[in-house]
Amino acid sequence: MKGDDMTVEEMYNNEYEFEDDEDDDSDWDPSAVSDHNNVVEIPKWFCINCTWPNIGHDFHCDLCGEHRESGILQRGFLASSLHPAEQGLAQNGADVAVALQDPSLQSIGSDNRTAIGFDERMLLHEEVVQKSHPHPERSDRLRAIAASLAATGIFPGRCYPIPPREITREELLMVHSLENIEAVELTSQVFSSYFTSDTYANQNSARAARLAAGLCFDLAAAIFSGSVKNGFALVRPPGHHAGVKQAMGFCLHNNAAIAALAAQNAGAKKVLIIDWDVHHGNGTQEIFDKNKSVGTMGAEGYCVNVPWSRGGVGDNDYVFAFQQVVLPIVSEFDPDFTIISAGFDAARGDPLGRCDITPSGYAQMTQMCSDLSGGKLLVILEGGYNLRSISSSATAVIKVLLGENPRHSMEQVVIPTKSGLRTVLEVLEVQLNYWPSLKSKLSKLQSDWGLYALHDKKQVKKKKRRAKQLPIWWKLGRKRLLYRLWCKKLS
Ligand SMILES: [Zn+2]
Ligand SMILES: [Zn+2]
Ligand SMILES: [Zn+2]
């Protein structure tokens, strides 16, 4: 798809085209909806689960089916999507209390445990200006995931809470310029500010960003030193769009780059970042770019993209690309620390990504990553805007970190779609120039799957439609990347 190298900012400045995929989705064109609004006064409400603007007296979201008064913020994805799920709350609370008092859990040291990075002050980062549409990067994202983890007894309960800490200016300077640090700091004195039209800050945002970065720094250090087994950073604002100087794309400081630096400080020589958010992690790329980098992050890096060319990508294509492209390259690179920039906006039901990855798909990919770098794995939350999807996906990922195996083993034969297979073959042909070990992989794939890939290679004619009236982030989701890898050798 065109525009793969555009940043969020460039996409914003360009008039971005909405391309329809296989299915006609004109029924969710909101222009028709706002026309009605001009005629009669009809109640309008925004879906708590997906932020979709709903018009009328129906109690269920047009886009995702969530009940208007859903209990998702109390019960996470375990709440019914159809009715407020007040019953069951008491029993669930009791489960969590029992888990916390379980002496077998209390006696376990932190060294064999999965650590979680979380602090409630990150919930205070919110857009204060009332816009026509609620911002998708909202504090309910963390609330919903936390509710799911509590309801399943994972956290609090089975995971070790990393003590929160704000990152220091000196630590930030190893990744960001003074320009970025001071611009973010300044927002704490202003009621409402914007770095770009879609990247807001309030008076609590700078602290939230420093907490997110500090948690990622300490998680990486704790995992690399072996004081915890692995970890999940349940943080916001997200980070992968934040570059050396510029906060953008909902991101203020680059949490993944800071975690890579922390691992380096703790002694890591080769750090791998896998970005499976559907949006291009332009900030991480810029920081890892030798020429623009600051501080100690200037060592040689390597970047691998697996671009995607259509919507609706599902588990099989994701897992297939992971097995055929990501794992062979990563094995040759042989990292000693692995970071996942885990956006869950490729999840089924995400309003921006519009892909089709299930929690089980995310669990399988995490399982494959957990064998890398001796299990030293840090998963950092990036995007993902459907509360139900992100909380079930994050919970599935953390279960794998805790040692629960996903139902499907990674040895299973995954059958990709034809376009999925073609993408993988194309990427392998390019990457062959850099990673010699891919040669045998490519010829095996060509002999196993070649005919399947070439068969039925017809061009589907695409309908195009302007959709200028949509908020910008609905358009950003049109640009898809399956994976982006940074293999970082540190001197
Ligand atoms: Zn909805
Ligand atoms: Zn994203
Ligand atoms: Zn993003």
Side-chain angles (χ1 to χ4, degrees):
M1 185 174 174
K2 66 174 172 290
D4 271 340
D5 293 323
M6 293 168 98
T7 65
V8 174
E9 192 60 17
E10 284 163 350
M11 280 187 284
Y12 181 77
N13 292 332
N14 277 281
E15 192 172 35
Y16 203 64
E17 247 172 21
F18 234 21
E19 284 179 39
D20 270 349
D21 300 308
E22 291 79 10
D23 45 337
D24 181 4
D25 57 1
S26 57
D27 56 332
W28 61 280
D29 183 344
S31 64
V33 163
S34 44
D35 286 350
H36 290 156
N37 208 16
N38 295 336
V39 182
V40 213
E41 194 70 34
I42 298 176
K44 179 176 179 181
W45 56 279
F46 295 100
C47 174
I48 192 169
N49 183 48
C50 74
T51 73
W52 183 251
N54 288 280
I55 310 285
H57 296 280
D58 191 355
F59 274 92
H60 298 107
C61 173
D62 283 343
L63 192 68
C64 75
E66 191 78 14
H67 192 276
R68 191 173 169 174
E69 288 151 28
S70 140
I72 191 165
L73 295 181
Q74 286 80 47
R75 297 258 297 146
F77 70 92
L78 297 173
S80 164
S81 64
L82 302 177
H83 299 286
E86 302 312 333
Q87 80 242 40
L89 262 182
Q91 195 205 333
N92 170 55
D95 288 348
V96 174
V98 168
L100 284 170
Q101 285 160 12
D102 185 337
S104 67
L105 289 173
Q106 304 276 318
S107 61
I108 300 173
S110 65
D111 58 324
N112 204 23
R113 294 179 73 179
T114 294
I116 302 272
F118 178 68
D119 188 292
E120 289 186 341
R121 287 171 290 175
M122 291 183 294
L123 302 174
L124 300 175
H125 165 60
E126 285 285 18
E127 183 169 50
V128 271
V129 176
Q130 196 72 42
K131 296 276 183 79
S132 61
H133 189 285
H135 201 288
E137 204 294 281
R138 58 214 193 275
S139 58
D140 285 350
R141 299 172 63 236
L142 291 195
R143 281 193 193 91
I145 298 175
S148 298
L149 297 179
T152 46
I154 289 175
F155 182 77
R158 296 167 64 194
C159 295
Y160 171 75
I162 280 275
R165 171 181 75 88
E166 290 181 43
I167 196 137
T168 66
R169 180 178 260 241
E170 290 66 37
E171 287 162 341
L172 279 176
L173 272 171
M174 294 188 272
V175 165
H176 290 291
S177 67
L178 258 186
E179 195 177 337
N180 166 276
I181 298 168
E182 287 178 348
V184 172
E185 276 175 2
L186 197 62
T187 61
S188 65
Q189 297 160 36
V190 185
F191 180 67
S192 168
S193 28
Y194 284 84
F195 298 97
T196 64
S197 56
D198 63 5
T199 307
Y200 63 81
N202 66 2
Q203 288 169 303
N204 302 305
S205 300
R207 183 180 57 192
R210 287 194 300 268
L211 283 165
L215 283 163
C216 288
F217 189 102
D218 289 356
L219 278 165
I223 294 164
F224 189 79
S225 69
S227 61
V228 297
K229 185 174 76 168
N230 50 31
F232 189 97
L234 182 52
V235 295
R236 66 184 285 276
H240 72 153
H241 297 301
V244 174
K245 293 182 198 164
Q246 177 72 51
M248 63 158 77
F250 319 166
C251 302
L252 306 192
H253 296 317
N254 195 308
N255 302 320
I258 286 161
L261 174 85
Q264 180 196 12
N265 277 1
K269 297 278 184 273
K270 287 191 280 184
V271 177
L272 169 74
I273 300 178
I274 297 175
D275 191 332
W276 72 39
D277 190 288
V278 294
H279 302 103
H280 171 202
N282 57 294
T284 313
Q285 181 172 30
E286 189 199 43
I287 289 166
F288 274 65
D289 184 326
K290 198 174 177 178
N291 301 319
K292 292 180 191 161
S293 184
V294 293
T296 56
M297 295 301 286
E300 188 185 341
Y302 192 78
C303 176
V304 182
N305 294 319
V306 184
W308 208 253
S309 53
R310 64 179 186 90
V313 180
D315 286 355
N316 280 9
D317 283 344
Y318 248 73
V319 172
F320 185 77
F322 207 97
Q323 289 174 333
Q324 305 300 333
V325 181
V326 176
L327 282 185
I329 290 175
V330 158
S331 311
E332 187 168 341
F333 177 66
D334 192 23
D336 51 11
F337 191 74
T338 303
I339 295 165
I340 300 177
S341 264
F344 293 112
D345 45 10
R348 175 175 293 175
D350 190 274
L352 277 69
R354 300 187 64 207
C355 289
D356 198 34
I357 310 303
T358 68
S360 146
Y362 284 115
Q364 287 178 70
M365 295 192 290
T366 309
Q367 180 69 50
M368 291 188 265
C369 293
S370 65
D371 295 329
L372 304 169
S373 53
K376 293 186 186 302
L377 173 63
L378 170 59
V379 183
I380 299 175
L381 181 67
E382 300 282 0
Y385 307 100
N386 177 316
L387 301 187
R388 201 166 278 282
S389 306
I390 63 172
S391 49
S392 55
S393 300
T395 303
V397 165
I398 295 169
K399 282 184 175 174
V400 173
L401 296 180
L402 284 164
E404 290 179 26
N405 291 325
R407 257 168 300 167
H408 309 282
S409 87
M410 63 174 286
E411 284 83 32
Q412 73 175 329
V413 178
V414 175
I415 301 186
T417 64
K418 289 188 176 71
S419 75
L421 178 60
R422 281 197 291 272
T423 300
V424 164
L425 290 174
E426 282 161 23
V427 171
L428 279 175
E429 266 165 40
V430 173
Q431 295 303 327
L432 201 56
N433 301 315
Y434 309 96
W435 307 92
S437 69
L438 293 178
K439 189 162 191 148
S440 59
K441 194 99 214 165
L442 180 62
S443 33
K444 177 152 177 21
L445 269 184
Q446 278 166 336
S447 69
D448 288 359
W449 294 92
L451 284 173
Y452 173 73
L454 295 170
H455 183 246
D456 195 28
K457 191 178 181 175
K458 64 175 183 202
Q459 284 294 323
V460 181
K461 197 171 181 301
K462 294 201 168 181
K463 289 169 288 172
K464 289 185 181 172
R465 171 167 55 83
R466 297 280 174 185
K468 272 189 248 175
Q469 69 278 21
L470 284 175
I472 185 66
W473 43 81
W474 294 80
K475 302 171 196 174
L476 299 185
R478 309 304 295 176
K479 199 180 82 61
R480 296 185 186 84
L481 273 180
L482 205 52
Y483 297 105
R484 186 171 278 263
L485 295 176
W486 286 275
C487 304
K488 188 73 179 164
K489 282 183 187 147
L490 303 163
S491 44

